[in-house]
Amino acid sequence: MAPRVGLTAERLTAVGAELADEVGFDQVTVSELARRFDVKVASLYSHVRNSHDLKTRIALLALEELADRAADALAGRAGKDALVALANVYRDYAREHPGRYAAAQYRLDPETAMAGAGVRHSRMTRALLRGYDLDEPDQTHAVRLLGSVFHGYVSIEMGGGFDHSAPDTQETWSRVLDALDVLLRTWPSAP
Amino acid sequence: MAPRVGLTAERLTAVGAELADEVGFDQVTVSELARRFDVKVASLYSHVRNSHDLKTRIALLALEELADRAADALAGRAGKDALVALANVYRDYAREHPGRYAAAQYRLDPETAMAGAGVRHSRMTRALLRGYDLDEPDQTHAVRLLGSVFHGYVSIEMGGGFDHSAPDTQETWSRVLDALDVLLRTWPSAP
DNA sequence: GAAGTTTGCCTAAAGCTATTAGGCACAGGC
DNA sequence: GCCTGTGCCTAATAGCTTTAGGCAAACTTC
């Protein structure tokens, strides 16, 4: 019916990522993916171990793309400039690729996580903090705070959590970044 | 086989919430729930419209429980004391009831969201901010920031995102709350 | 307390997804 | 041009979701 379409794990992952953006990451199904390739479901199982494997690959792809964008954004910037740029990378990526962004949150087993681009992200946030004057362990605390704000804000905004209240979210986003900048510059040292 | 077991939407929701905590919210299935009641699957459909309806009810239950705890925690507290108490409500709830906490993130259609306890949450965060000196629109910005940090931190921590790095998460959590307190007291006014 | 009605759980069935086992044919090596 | 192997296919099992229609237990009413 579809002889030698040329399936590979990579193509499955890429199209799976598009699918995620269109229908949502949790709606990504081996069956739907097969349909997209006009191929029978069973055919995918030679390239991908199972549904979980497929989702893991999509997650790793998303983390990698996100890390690439972050690296780009941070190049040549420092201080608040870098902070805003990095923050916008996450927010913009989530808006452009909601399915992939959700995928990036897919829980990976520790080994997979270590092998993937997850580490790059915290390293880049640390790099950004070089523009501020923080020593360990405050730097780690700050890395975690930034991750929390970025992820928390973006995921609430995407989930429509800010929809039914007044000022527009762009305004809030700017003011939150202003506030974070101030906070990092005046970080309260340990008690 | 099981004559008049006494199914109601409420009992299904309650047991569904327990199920969520045990196996994860996304693993909550009408079939598994039927098994728990030792009843055939079809029987549940007289009490709950469908799987989405069931999950919505669990989500609303979780939001309500969370709002109740928050109200308790805020009673008689102000300033940083209140901030820490509220923050810990979210974090502790997520630790004690991971499935319910995930349920609270389940996307609701706008009307359902408005009817549910979602509004109570933002009202309480606003109440907490009375201890700080913020006028609109900064108050709204601050509400959103706090929501982002709480949700972001808790969901990354639960997802194991902080596992493979150095200082323990309790320490970071305290320092983050210290930082937020300082930030709210010295909130940067509009440019 | 018996008769009628409602209600609650059941059987049956169709459609979807995931996953495995084994077959056939097309592509490339010789 | 044959031969091998990889790549997609058919077939089959099993689980979850949802709807339609049945039967009997429980409530209502006299």
Side-chain angles (χ1 to χ4, degrees):
Chain A
M1 210 185 209
R4 307 294 128 113
V5 183
L7 300 180
T8 64
E10 286 69 33
R11 287 187 65 206
L12 292 182
T13 307
V15 175
E18 290 170 23
L19 179 57
D21 288 333
E22 291 172 34
V23 303
F25 182 61
D26 36 329
Q27 307 300 320
V28 170
T29 178
V30 186
S31 304
E32 180 60 34
L33 194 52
R35 244 169 261 134
R36 299 253 161 159
F37 278 97
D38 196 26
V39 142
K40 296 298 162 148
V41 194
S43 309
L44 302 199
Y45 283 84
S46 332
H47 303 278
V48 146
R49 215 191 331 273
N50 52 35
S51 183
H52 175 256
D53 181 33
L54 172 65
K55 289 188 179 166
T56 299
R57 286 168 191 268
I58 297 176
L60 292 174
L61 172 69
L63 286 169
E64 201 100 6
E65 286 184 356
L66 209 38
D68 288 346
R69 286 194 183 201
D72 256 29
L74 287 181
R77 286 190 233 263
K80 184 174 178 184
D81 205 27
L83 174 69
V84 171
L86 183 63
N88 280 322
V89 162
Y90 287 106
R91 185 160 178 253
D92 293 343
Y93 190 77
R95 293 162 93 100
E96 290 168 36
H97 299 294
R100 286 155 142 101
Y101 186 79
Q105 255 61 57
Y106 190 63
R107 185 154 197 173
L108 305 173
D109 39 309
E111 327 125 46
T112 315
M114 284 319 244
V119 197
R120 283 176 71 198
H121 289 274
S122 58
R123 251 211 307 266
M124 281 188 288
T125 309
R126 278 207 151 67
L128 149 65
L129 288 175
R130 268 201 291 273
Y132 299 89
D133 193 32
L134 293 174
D135 297 323
E136 286 301 355
D138 289 312
Q139 199 175 73
T140 300
H141 299 323
V143 167
R144 291 173 174 177
L145 172 61
L146 290 181
S148 300
V149 177
F150 296 166
H151 172 56
Y153 192 95
V154 166
S155 89
I156 295 179
E157 188 182 22
M158 291 281 94
F162 294 152
D163 285 358
H164 294 290
S165 54
D168 77 354
T169 61
Q170 177 54 51
E171 175 63 14
T172 296
W173 181 243
S174 303
R175 307 304 321 292
V176 162
L177 295 181
D178 291 346
L180 283 178
D181 176 58
V182 172
L183 179 58
L184 291 174
R185 282 192 278 104
T186 63
W187 186 269
S189 321
Chain B
M1 214 187 204
R4 308 292 127 117
V5 182
L7 300 180
T8 63
E10 287 68 33
R11 288 187 66 206
L12 292 182
T13 307
V15 176
E18 289 170 22
L19 179 56
D21 287 334
E22 290 172 33
V23 304
F25 182 61
D26 37 328
Q27 307 298 320
V28 170
T29 177
V30 185
S31 304
E32 180 58 34
L33 195 52
R35 242 169 263 133
R36 299 252 164 159
F37 279 96
D38 196 25
V39 142
K40 297 299 162 151
V41 194
S43 309
L44 303 199
Y45 283 83
S46 333
H47 304 278
V48 147
R49 214 189 333 273
N50 51 34
S51 182
H52 174 255
D53 181 34
L54 172 65
K55 288 187 181 168
T56 299
R57 286 168 190 269
I58 298 176
L60 291 174
L61 172 69
L63 285 169
E64 201 100 4
E65 286 184 356
L66 209 38
D68 288 346
R69 286 195 183 200
D72 257 29
L74 287 181
R77 284 190 234 261
K80 183 172 179 186
D81 205 27
L83 174 70
V84 171
L86 183 63
N88 279 323
V89 163
Y90 288 105
R91 184 159 179 253
D92 292 344
Y93 190 77
R95 293 161 92 100
E96 289 169 36
H97 299 293
R100 287 156 143 98
Y101 186 78
Q105 255 61 57
Y106 190 62
R107 184 153 197 176
L108 306 173
D109 39 310
E111 327 125 48
T112 315
M114 284 318 245
V119 198
R120 283 176 70 197
H121 289 276
S122 57
R123 251 209 309 264
M124 282 188 287
T125 309
R126 277 208 151 68
L128 150 63
L129 287 176
R130 269 200 292 272
Y132 299 89
D133 193 30
L134 293 174
D135 298 322
E136 286 301 353
D138 288 313
Q139 198 174 74
T140 300
H141 299 324
V143 168
R144 291 173 173 177
L145 172 62
L146 289 181
S148 300
V149 176
F150 296 166
H151 172 57
Y153 192 95
V154 166
S155 88
I156 296 179
E157 188 182 21
M158 290 282 94
F162 294 150
D163 284 358
H164 293 290
S165 54
D168 77 355
T169 62
Q170 177 55 51
E171 174 64 15
T172 295
W173 181 242
S174 303
R175 306 305 319 293
V176 162
L177 295 180
D178 291 346
L180 283 178
D181 176 58
V182 171
L183 179 58
L184 291 174
R185 281 192 278 106
T186 64
W187 186 268
S189 321

